[in-house]
Amino acid sequence: MMKRILSVLILSVVLFGCARVNVPRQTVFLSCQVDSIPYRIPAVAELQDGSVMLLADYRHCFSDIGFGRVDIRGKVLSPDGRSWGEEFTLVEGTGVEGAVDCGYGDPAIVADRESEAVLVSLVCGNTVYWHPTTTRQNPNRISLMRSSDSGKTWSLEEVTEQIYTLFDEAPDGCVQSCFIASGKIFQSRVIKVGTHYRIYAALTARPNGNRVIYSDDFGKTWNVLGDLGQLPVPYGDEPKCEELPDGRVVISSRAMGGRYFNIYTYTDAATGEGSWDEVAPSGKRAKGCISLENACNGEILILPAVRNADKAEVYLALQSVPFGPGRTNVGIYAKELPSDLSAITAKDLAADWNMKYQISDTWSAYSTMIQLRNGDIAFYHEESHNGMDKTYDMIYQELSLETITSGQYSASAR
């Protein structure tokens, strides 16, 4: 028996890296106390050594980025899952009215799978995304932070013009206001053209909804995914990107009552040429990802799995949303993807999400998740016990696929 246990442990290390403890639900950043500066907006990445970095807004202005001073705070969980580092300030806003560095918020993060490089996108400045005075001439500003040593040191660069210029020649007119949606910047598992595997950033933009940009040099330069005249989700709100196993790109966008999905198919992956499918809603009518009486930021994952009933290797899609009503009861929808993945359409992806796992039983809103090297899902979300004032604690936990799917699926080593 002891030899068998040791064999299982060794196999786990070979397949998924260093064995780590099962990290239970815990509060990482605490807002729900009298007169405290609130935290919001979860972002998570697994670093090269297996440690997990969590980021969040620290809102001195008590509101969204653009209304005043906002800092970005972080914590790092050790590779074995047993201890947290000290809370740190990634970047600090000045609070100076009108300044580019007035505030920094809405973090989205990616850690390179082949190096110690880490990239974080941020909204910066003192303009508000949706406000009519925020225009191409007075834009919602964007900064990138880069680290080459797993977050020990960082550089900061404003890239507002670099991003906005990509859309200045669009047939329907330039982008007036945009930002990279918070949570996770997605890195391809299969497409590597430049120095790094390709990364995708999904933009909330007005007018005309979502856009997707990509980079083959880990964020030094960017390109538009698809033709400027073909919009992935013309009416979309905060979006996320993922990837089907054949390299096609999935966008999942926030919508009242659920999500919008679309899929980009390459005709030439090296040049980025291709086209978007027709956008498809996922909600009650499609038996999809229902977010009852709310629209909220969530996260999508597509990952290999083993169907436990017959040990078949399959792919699962996971999507987090507040189940509702309103911004309550955050959880994860799941579905098995069809065996012929090359034939799946946006409409197919949007429909028939037949599994769900509830994580929160109270007021809860934004969420993000990644799959760790050991196969578990690192889940990070906002949760409040103060009702409608939306003062959120930031909650982290690690969940197995067996837990999320009620024992129907396990993590795969593929």
Side-chain angles (χ1 to χ4, degrees):
M1 176 62 73
M2 182 59 69
K3 288 183 179 179
R4 182 179 179 185
I5 292 172
L6 287 173
S7 296
V8 170
L9 289 173
I10 292 170
L11 181 62
S12 297
V13 171
V14 170
L15 293 179
F16 299 122
C18 297
R20 60 188 284 131
V21 298
N22 182 11
V23 179
R25 171 192 165 94
Q26 49 200 274
T27 301
V28 180
F29 300 107
L30 179 66
S31 295
C32 296
Q33 49 193 348
V34 177
D35 297 327
S36 64
I37 295 174
Y39 296 88
R40 276 211 65 191
I41 316 297
V44 60
E46 185 177 26
L47 305 181
Q48 185 68 21
D49 66 353
S51 58
V52 178
M53 179 176 287
L54 305 184
L55 301 176
D57 281 13
Y58 188 59
R59 295 183 162 185
H60 294 265
C61 68
F62 288 81
S63 191
D64 292 342
I65 180 66
F67 285 97
R69 180 182 170 185
V70 180
D71 305 340
I72 300 296
R73 293 287 184 93
K75 277 190 177 181
V76 175
L77 179 65
S78 62
D80 60 8
R82 297 178 186 275
S83 61
W84 291 94
E86 293 294 320
E87 183 173 333
F88 63 90
T89 299
L90 179 66
V91 62
E92 187 174 280
T94 63
V96 175
E97 185 176 351
V100 173
D101 61 358
C102 177
Y104 296 90
D106 278 24
I109 186 172
V110 59
D112 182 45
R113 63 167 47 87
E114 293 188 310
S115 72
E116 293 187 343
V118 185
L119 182 71
V120 177
S121 71
L122 301 166
V123 183
C124 63
N126 196 202
T127 54
V128 178
Y129 165 74
W130 49 264
H131 199 277
T133 60
T134 303
T135 65
R136 181 66 181 87
Q137 292 70 42
N138 182 40
N140 203 50
R141 296 184 177 274
I142 303 169
S143 285
L144 295 178
M145 297 193 71
R146 299 184 179 91
S147 174
S148 60
D149 52 14
S150 291
K152 297 180 182 66
T153 59
W154 294 90
S155 64
L156 174 65
E157 177 188 10
E158 188 195 348
V159 294
T160 304
E161 282 305 304
Q162 183 185 358
I163 302 302
Y164 278 74
T165 301
L166 295 172
F167 304 98
D168 280 348
E169 302 303 319
D172 291 333
C174 65
V175 166
Q176 295 293 325
S177 183
C178 73
F179 64 94
I180 296 171
S182 63
K184 178 186 70 178
I185 295 173
F186 177 71
Q187 185 172 37
S188 174
R189 307 174 187 92
V190 298
I191 297 176
K192 186 177 183 181
V193 176
T195 58
H196 297 72
Y197 280 91
R198 182 167 290 174
I199 59 174
Y200 300 94
L203 300 177
T204 307
R206 63 172 179 82
N208 302 323
N210 302 141
R211 278 77 162 177
V212 177
I213 56 177
Y214 71 91
S215 174
D216 289 328
D217 54 14
F218 211 66
K220 294 178 182 176
T221 60
W222 294 89
N223 299 285
V224 179
L225 187 66
D227 186 272
L228 283 175
Q230 189 185 26
L231 301 170
V233 186
Y235 26 76
D237 202 326
E238 290 170 302
K240 301 296 183 68
C241 282
E242 243 289 355
E243 180 183 61
L244 290 165
D246 59 4
R248 289 191 296 158
V249 181
V250 172
I251 185 170
S252 169
S253 184
R254 163 180 166 175
M256 177 56 69
R259 308 292 292 180
Y260 291 116
F261 288 107
N262 208 344
I263 297 175
Y264 186 81
T265 300
Y266 285 107
T267 54
D268 187 336
T271 64
E273 293 178 85
S275 62
W276 290 99
D277 193 2
E278 294 185 16
V279 64
S282 181
K284 187 174 182 180
R285 182 172 295 182
K287 300 180 182 177
C289 302
I290 302 168
S291 51
L292 184 64
E293 298 173 11
N294 77 84
C296 196
N297 197 350
E299 194 65 77
I300 182 170
L301 277 178
I302 294 174
L303 63 164
V306 174
R307 190 168 56 215
N308 290 332
D310 58 4
K311 304 305 179 186
E313 293 187 341
V314 299
Y315 281 89
L316 295 184
L318 308 181
Q319 175 68 60
S320 66
V321 293
F323 292 159
R327 288 188 170 184
T328 65
N329 303 324
V330 157
I332 301 172
Y333 281 97
K335 64 180 289 185
E336 181 182 322
L337 296 179
S339 56
D340 185 3
L341 291 166
S342 64
I344 191 171
T345 66
K347 187 175 181 179
D348 295 330
L349 184 59
D352 300 321
W353 291 71
N354 60 345
M355 293 175 282
K356 60 188 295 189
Y357 177 76
Q358 186 170 323
I359 290 172
S360 173
D361 61 359
T362 185
W363 298 101
S364 42
Y366 283 31
S367 60
T368 185
M369 57 183 169
I370 58 172
Q371 186 177 34
L372 302 172
R373 295 189 188 106
N374 71 351
D376 286 347
I377 305 304
F379 195 87
Y380 181 32
H381 75 283
E382 304 172 330
E383 188 169 285
S384 174
H385 296 275
N386 293 345
M388 291 300 291
D389 67 356
K390 301 298 187 296
T391 304
Y392 293 105
D393 292 336
M394 309 301 291
I395 310 295
Y396 178 81
Q397 59 196 295
E398 295 175 9
L399 302 162
S400 68
L401 274 186
E402 288 92 341
T403 297
I404 293 169
T405 64
S406 300
Q408 295 183 65
Y409 298 88
S410 302
S412 169
R414 285 183 291 169

